[in-house]
Amino acid sequence: MKTLLNRLDTLGRYQDVALLLLRVVVAGYLAINQGWPTLQKFLEGSTEFPDPLHLGARTTMAMMVGTELFCASFVVVGFLTRLLSIPVAFGFTVAIFIHHWPDPFGYKELPSLYWATFIALAIMGPGKYSVDALIRRKAQ
């Protein structure tokens, strides 16, 4: 049992790989599966989009393109990760607690996973396999 616990303690050294995986997979899926289609709808002039904050459908759509596509894409490569994770997390806070509030849990599951991921990235940062880390190394 002690050997198993000691092995689990050494997993901390793989934290940067885990952060890389989290950034690339989750932020990548967000950008491709949510952000890109929203950008296409926006460019087509669509006005059909949820507007839970009553800012106007086009304004809300533009904000979601910014968070789901552009912020998420920068997070994939690890550029300004902590800062750009905040608007994404905010967008999903609105999705969970305002837009999907009356819906069954199944509708909140995916936004909740995105929300938790981007909160974790805002707290932990991108890790050493990122543009942020490269910039930090060059600045030293």
Side-chain angles (χ1 to χ4, degrees), residues 9-61:
D9 278 348
T10 61
L11 292 178
R13 67 182 173 188
Y14 299 111
Q15 175 179 323
D16 293 308
V17 174
L19 288 169
L20 172 67
L21 212 81
L22 196 63
R23 281 192 351 258
V24 170
V25 172
V26 178
Y29 274 123
L30 176 61
I32 292 166
N33 291 336
Q34 306 293 325
W36 184 253
T38 305
L39 175 63
Q40 290 176 322
K41 287 180 192 174
F42 184 80
L43 294 175
E44 290 169 359
S46 175
T47 57
E48 291 189 29
F49 199 79
D51 185 23
L53 298 178
H54 309 290
L55 302 171
R58 292 285 292 169
T59 302
T60 303
M61 190 184 294

